[in-house]
Amino acid sequence: MSFQSDANATYPNGTPVNKADVRALWASVDARFETAYTEDFDAISENGQYRGYNAIGTPIADLQIGLTHIEGAGGRAWQTARTQQTPGGALSREFRRYRTSEGVWEEWAEILAADAVATAEQGARADSALQRAAGHPAALFLDGSGGVLFDFTDRAAVGIAGTDDPVSVVADLLGRSALYVPGANTAPAANLSGGNLVLSSLLDTDLLASPVEAPLLPATGELLLAWSHRTDGAGAKACIWQQQSGATGRTQISANARYTGSGIVNQDNSLQVFMAGVTEGSGPSGMIATAPHPIGQWADFVLILRDGSRQSEFWRNGVLIDRFTRPESIPQVQTTLFRNPAQVGAGQTFGRLICLHRAPAAGEVDLIRAWLRASFIAAMEGGQSWSDPVLTSSAAIIRSKPHPGFDAGVIWEKAGNMQLRPASMTKLMTAHTGLVWLKRLDAMNAVFERQAGDSNAGSGANLDVGDIIDVPNALANLGLPSSNVTANVWARVIGDLIQTAEGGDGGTARFMAEMNAESARLGMDDSAWVNPSGLDATGHLSTARDMALLCETVGETHPEITSIWANATWDLQIAGPNPRTVMITHSVDFIEHGDPRVTWGKTGTTPLGGNCLLCEFRGPKGNRFYYVGFQASTDASRFVDADAVFAAAEVGVEWPSLIPQLRQ
């Protein structure tokens, strides 16, 4: 068998043709055709079409073999070869094969059906290969898991020909069931949002409902429910409603709402998952905590119900909102989307929704989130004008990281110069000042022994009197669990080292004097430090601008801090009379849960300082920037606020540039 190829031949996806693959294809096709068409298949053309020749070398004009190659994530691919005849000729024949994630091609399989229409089994096999290649969540159901998959960004999936037509049927992409509009109500409208089709409620009577026999959430068993959603106006709005009055397990998911302990009330810029019978959550009466969901902002939500105490989880934009224990059973009644007669429906939008009737395996939530977010992020990749994110934090800032030869710059800020209590973000200044002096004194081998006078209230109380740690472990204990005791030991020991080398006072008082002097040297003009731990104290203040400048300084000068504070966990090595190893965990949820965008960070929490956060983000196009937020309303809100700023920067900032600019 001979083979020729155009020099510039490519697959339909634009990648160069793998000639070895094509030779294998022709060998397989030749074998299947036996003596009927045994002659050479000529050169590959730019469009991927192939023309055959008969036994005496005459081209057969009506016979072509087309090869389709789909390349997906993880090196997976799917190929189809098809013979094409005229309407009066022989039946078309189709061959398919798949490449595994390990890069091994499977054998070619012939589809024996008229006009190359596969049997259900063959079609499922081909579809699954395509889904795996494209990272499509339909592949999650190949193990037989029940559930539904709705894509409201797809015209075909919502049963319409144009964007202004009313919705007649919303199709489940898995073919198991469909959502329909009861005749007593109006259909949500399919509209364009940032270039993407979405399903939006425009009237109070808009409603989508599932047949009673096919509710979204099964009665028992583990499951995942995830959706992409935007609230477009004020007032409580029912999103997903599987409600049976008074029954344990009834489910009400509402935007602009919160649970008070006795009922759901309006609270704009939030989202509430209410399931009667939930226990051990951090919300009122042990229910699920409310998630921030600012009006006008897209978010992806993931609800995972697992068996066992505090095994179930609720996430927003990859941030864990709460852990809780699920009710034993969920009523099997009609599920409605967009509204319920008890609540206003107009003014909300869905992108996609998935319900998987099993708990997700490792890595599957990332695939699901990527699919959900693609419904509202992809259309905005070209950028849009900057829109200030809605935050609970009193002050916040994003500052670009400097590039060689160029200074950093503030991209955006909210009350950047407002003096507030920095709480345990103080420990970044404590760590920086300490390392400046340890390096100056050539004392990086110093050890830190806790004494009785180092005791302190608050976080990270994991050291006993007599315990000894070295510099890396002291930095880890300062950063990850935010140990106040370690901050006191660090300040006292380094203050004494400074006194020994240069005279004057020693101990914590000397360290605090040097800490304020270093702060002034850096140009942190609105900051003052009273203690090394960040506990509330009169006159202990900083600003978002000052803390972002400190982040930049530390990022440029102290890899000891940034590399250690990048770890989700750390094995703390403690010497002394009771030597031991203690595993400590990062207080920054982004880092604890492996969010790849966040490289290092630090939280701060005090009664007067509220919930604070500083961190370094990987921005779009590889840019890096620093985020600082002061005084968020809750622990979860500080991370949601940071994510909202990052999401706004994704589309509203001109990336890349040396100092990124807001799009106006």
Side-chain angles (χ1 to χ4, degrees):
M1 174 179 182
S2 64
F3 176 79
Q4 297 174 338
S5 173
D6 292 342
N8 297 319
T10 60
Y11 290 126
N13 68 352
T15 60
V17 167
N18 184 328
K19 298 176 178 58
D21 286 347
V22 179
R23 290 189 181 94
L25 165 64
W26 297 151
S28 176
V29 171
D30 282 348
R32 293 184 184 279
F33 279 115
E34 296 178 342
T35 59
Y37 302 104
T38 59
E39 299 303 311
D40 295 342
F41 293 100
D42 204 5
I44 304 171
S45 66
E46 289 293 333
N47 63 6
Q49 297 299 309
Y50 303 82
R51 188 171 298 278
Y53 291 77
N54 64 14
I56 60 174
T58 303
I60 303 175
D62 294 331
L63 172 62
Q64 291 184 324
I65 293 183
L67 175 65
T68 301
H69 179 102
I70 301 174
E71 189 76 38
R76 299 168 184 165
W78 173 54
Q79 289 181 338
T80 296
R82 181 180 295 111
T83 64
Q84 300 172 343
Q85 296 288 97
T86 60
L91 296 176
S92 299
R93 303 175 75 179
E94 186 169 325
F95 303 86
R96 295 179 183 173
R97 71 169 180 170
Y98 320 96
R99 192 168 68 201
T100 68
S101 58
E102 289 76 28
V104 178
W105 283 104
E106 299 178 6
E107 294 296 321
W108 285 98
E110 184 176 2
I111 294 178
L112 301 175
D115 297 321
V117 177
T119 65
E121 180 179 356
Q122 292 166 331
R125 183 165 178 255
D127 289 344
S128 68
L130 178 59
Q131 291 153 4
R132 287 196 303 271
H136 197 282
L140 301 176
F141 297 86
L142 298 177
D143 61 356
S145 301
V148 293
L149 192 66
F150 294 103
D151 186 352
F152 307 121
T153 70
D154 186 335
R155 288 176 175 80
V158 295
I160 59 173
T163 59
D164 297 324
D165 296 336
V167 177
S168 56
V169 175
V170 176
D172 174 12
L173 300 183
L174 303 175
R176 290 179 171 84
S177 62
L179 292 173
Y180 68 94
V181 181
N185 293 283
T186 55
N191 292 300
L192 288 174
S193 175
N196 266 7
L197 190 73
V198 292
L199 207 60
S200 301
S201 65
L202 303 176
L203 304 172
D204 289 350
T205 51
D206 287 343
L207 174 69
L208 282 178
S210 67
V212 174
E213 64 271 21
L216 286 177
L217 308 182
T220 58
E222 299 190 337
L223 66 90
L224 175 144
L225 175 67
W227 65 100
S228 53
H229 179 262
R230 184 186 71 206
T231 309
D232 300 320
K237 305 176 190 305
C239 304
I240 303 171
W241 204 263
Q242 194 163 310
Q243 157 73 10
Q244 181 175 333
S245 181
T248 298
R250 65 188 185 276
T251 302
Q252 304 167 358
I253 302 176
S254 303
N256 291 340
R258 66 178 176 89
Y259 180 67
T260 64
S262 58
I264 297 177
V265 299
N266 182 81
Q267 178 176 292
D268 289 343
N269 301 307
S270 59
L271 184 138
Q272 179 70 59
V273 175
F274 172 82
M275 299 184 74
V278 162
T279 59
E280 300 185 278
S282 59
S285 303
M287 290 294 179
I288 303 170
T290 303
H293 185 28
I295 293 173
Q297 291 187 18
W298 279 101
D300 61 83
F301 297 95
V302 179
L303 178 68
I304 304 172
L305 302 187
R306 293 189 176 96
D307 297 331
S309 176
R310 285 189 62 80
Q311 293 296 307
S312 298
E313 300 170 344
F314 176 44
W315 297 73
R316 177 198 180 272
N317 282 356
V319 176
L320 180 64
I321 300 298
D322 203 3
R323 286 192 175 95
F324 57 94
T325 300
R326 61 160 294 166
E328 290 188 3
S329 181
I330 300 172
Q332 296 299 280
V333 295
Q334 176 172 292
T335 306
T336 58
L337 272 65
F338 287 113
R339 76 171 298 274
N340 177 276
Q343 292 194 328
V344 175
Q348 58 178 315
T349 301
F350 273 92
R352 291 170 171 173
L353 182 147
I354 179 174
C355 186
L356 181 65
H357 291 178
R358 62 171 174 82
E364 290 183 340
V365 171
D366 291 339
L367 184 151
I368 290 167
R369 288 194 63 229
W371 181 73
L372 293 173
R373 293 181 71 82
S375 67
F376 58 88
I377 291 297
M380 297 188 292
E381 286 183 348
Q384 60 187 28
S385 61
W386 170 265
S387 178
D388 283 348
V390 178
L391 309 179
T392 68
S393 297
S394 297
I397 196 169
I398 50 175
R399 179 184 177 93
S400 66
K401 190 172 182 177
H403 297 260
F406 294 87
D407 294 333
V410 173
I411 301 174
W412 170 86
E413 62 185 333
K414 171 188 176 182
N417 290 320
M418 179 186 292
Q419 285 187 309
L420 295 165
R421 300 177 189 271
S424 284
M425 292 193 302
T426 297
K427 294 185 177 74
L428 183 62
M429 190 69 206
T430 302
H432 164 71
T433 303
L435 285 180
V436 166
W437 275 100
L438 289 174
K439 292 174 182 179
R440 185 180 301 170
L441 299 174
D442 194 21
M444 288 295 287
N445 60 348
V447 294
F448 302 85
E449 179 179 351
R450 183 192 163 174
Q451 298 179 358
D454 296 321
S455 61
N456 207 342
S459 57
N462 53 15
L463 296 181
D464 300 325
V465 173
D467 285 346
I468 299 172
I469 54 179
D470 60 11
V471 170
N473 283 287
L475 290 172
N477 216 26
L478 278 173
L480 275 65
S482 196
S483 171
N484 291 340
V485 171
T486 300
N488 288 341
V489 178
W490 177 269
R492 174 181 54 78
V493 170
I494 296 176
D496 287 343
L497 290 173
I498 298 171
Q499 179 190 41
T500 300
E502 300 199 354
D505 294 333
T508 302
R510 178 60 179 272
F511 184 88
M512 295 311 303
E514 297 296 339
M515 189 164 158
N516 280 286
E518 176 65 15
S519 181
R521 185 186 71 81
L522 294 178
M524 298 172 63
D525 299 329
D526 294 315
S527 297
W529 315 96
V530 176
N531 60 67
S533 64
L535 290 177
D536 291 330
T538 301
H540 191 98
L541 299 167
S542 189
T543 67
R545 271 186 170 255
D546 281 0
M547 292 305 297
L549 175 61
L550 177 61
C551 287
E552 176 192 328
T553 301
V554 169
E556 293 296 297
T557 59
H558 297 311
E560 300 90 350
I561 296 176
T562 58
S563 61
I564 291 174
W565 290 12
N567 292 276
T569 61
W570 181 274
D571 288 334
L572 186 68
Q573 304 296 319
I574 302 174
N578 180 27
R580 62 196 185 277
T581 300
V582 177
M583 190 184 80
I584 54 179
T585 303
H586 215 304
S587 59
V588 175
D589 284 3
F590 291 122
I591 298 174
E592 181 186 0
H593 300 297
D595 191 318
R597 299 172 302 173
V598 179
T599 53
W600 63 274
K602 181 76 188 76
T603 58
T605 309
T606 62
L608 298 180
N611 301 276
C612 305
L613 172 69
L614 62 81
C615 56
E616 182 187 86
F617 271 93
R618 289 188 178 95
K621 313 299 183 184
N623 294 64
R624 303 286 184 96
F625 63 82
Y626 301 107
Y627 168 84
V628 179
F630 277 79
Q631 217 170 54
S633 60
T634 66
D635 175 30
S637 295
R638 72 177 117 203
F639 304 112
V640 174
D641 283 358
D643 185 77
V645 171
F646 180 65
E650 277 188 308
V651 297
V653 174
E654 194 68 52
W655 306 100
S657 62
L658 294 173
I659 299 179
Q661 301 294 313
L662 301 185
R663 299 180 190 271
Q664 302 298 328

